[in-house]
Amino acid sequence: SAVISQKPSRDICQRGTSLTIQCQVDSQVTMMFWYRQQPGQSLTLIATANQGSEATYESGFVIDKFPISRPNLTFSTLTVSNMSPEDSSIYLCSVEHLQETQYFGPGTRLLVL
Amino acid sequence: AQSVAQPEDQVNVAEGNPLTVKCTYSVSGNPYLFWYVQYPNRGLQFLLKYITGDNLVKGSYGFEAEFNKSQTSFHLKKPSALVSDSALYFCAVRDLTGRRALTFGSGTRLQVQP
């Protein structure tokens, strides 16, 4: 399986600020995704990070709030902009690697005060 | 649209007993089905998947799952539960021909009592 790392692992932020989360994979992958897991909830897809083009966002998520970069096949960033307490969640990146299977990073725990 | 239902918020089982965590799905075409486990303060770990072939698939840590097309189910099973199996389990689905992102169920918390 692919080895995925995320930075930071956790953070506490003030409302109105922005946080950029990094996702690094140890091999080149075509498909990368960003999910959100709100407290006590399941995972919801934010967007698909496309290499060399704009990310594809799901309904309810917009680029101004969650800008995503994908400069190459091993790296992506997700920014949570103008944060509010409702953005407090775990943010996870995932990659599709080998035989249609998605593997997940350890997640970034975000608390917005 | 695709969806996944996990009807039980929590499943309690005694150590050594068999366990079942239920999952039903809805997709427009043929499904790819997955089970993941999440331990406290950890990311999701892949357990097993069904893409094609034998309806009974075996995965990590002694878990297995049975794909039942007529009942649109993909229940997770283990013959003998361990206390260390206590965690949050997620079923997920994607359409064979559709978008590659996963749709997750609401999760089932498994509690194995010593």
Side-chain angles (χ1 to χ4, degrees):
Chain A
S1 65
V3 177
I4 306 165
S5 60
Q6 285 186 234
K7 292 181 182 179
S9 59
R10 59 178 63 232
D11 208 342
I12 301 174
C13 300
Q14 297 298 318
R15 70 172 65 210
T17 62
S18 298
L19 176 72
T20 295
I21 303 167
Q22 299 179 5
C23 178
Q24 180 75 53
V25 191
D26 67 343
S27 57
Q28 293 187 339
V29 293
T30 303
M31 305 299 295
M32 292 184 77
F33 307 92
W34 286 98
Y35 291 83
R36 180 175 74 181
Q37 186 179 20
Q38 295 178 298
Q41 302 294 316
S42 184
L43 282 78
T44 301
L45 180 69
I46 298 172
T48 302
N50 302 308
Q51 195 267 327
S53 64
E54 195 170 281
T56 304
Y57 289 85
E58 297 299 299
S59 176
F61 297 95
V62 295
I63 188 171
D64 290 345
K65 176 68 176 177
F66 297 102
I68 288 171
S69 77
R70 177 92 191 269
N72 56 52
L73 294 177
T74 64
F75 185 78
S76 178
T77 67
L78 168 74
T79 299
V80 187
S81 303
N82 188 24
M83 288 184 285
S84 67
E86 291 71 34
D87 294 320
S88 298
S89 296
I90 302 172
Y91 292 86
L92 300 108
C93 72
S94 74
V95 303
E96 187 178 293
H97 183 67
L98 296 178
Q99 299 178 324
E100 314 285 353
T101 302
Q102 276 193 35
Y103 296 93
F104 285 79
T108 296
R109 291 180 172 271
L110 171 62
L111 177 62
V112 184
L113 302 177
Chain B
Q2 54 199 33
S3 64
V4 177
Q6 292 181 244
E8 303 153 317
D9 290 336
Q10 180 156 325
V11 169
N12 299 308
V13 63
E15 187 175 31
N17 283 0
L19 69 87
T20 299
V21 183
K22 295 179 180 178
C23 171
T24 58
Y25 66 90
S26 175
V27 295
S28 57
N30 292 319
Y32 285 179
L33 293 156
F34 303 83
W35 276 101
Y36 290 86
V37 60
Q38 186 175 38
Y39 296 99
N41 300 313
R42 303 278 292 275
L44 265 68
Q45 295 181 28
F46 168 73
L47 276 180
L48 51 80
K49 68 183 177 187
Y50 171 83
I51 294 184
T52 188
D54 194 346
N55 288 345
L56 182 66
V57 294
K58 296 185 182 297
S60 306
Y61 312 120
F63 284 93
E64 58 189 29
E66 186 166 12
F67 170 63
N68 187 318
K69 188 172 184 178
S70 63
Q71 297 185 4
T72 61
S73 68
F74 190 56
H75 301 329
L76 181 70
K77 300 180 180 183
K78 188 174 182 181
S80 179
L82 300 173
V83 172
S84 57
D85 292 331
S86 299
L88 187 57
Y89 290 80
F90 289 99
C91 181
V93 68
R94 61 158 280 214
D95 191 314
L96 177 66
T97 58
R99 67 174 193 172
R100 303 179 86 88
L102 297 175
T103 297
F104 283 85
S106 56
T108 298
R109 186 163 300 281
L110 174 66
Q111 194 69 41
V112 182
Q113 285 118 8

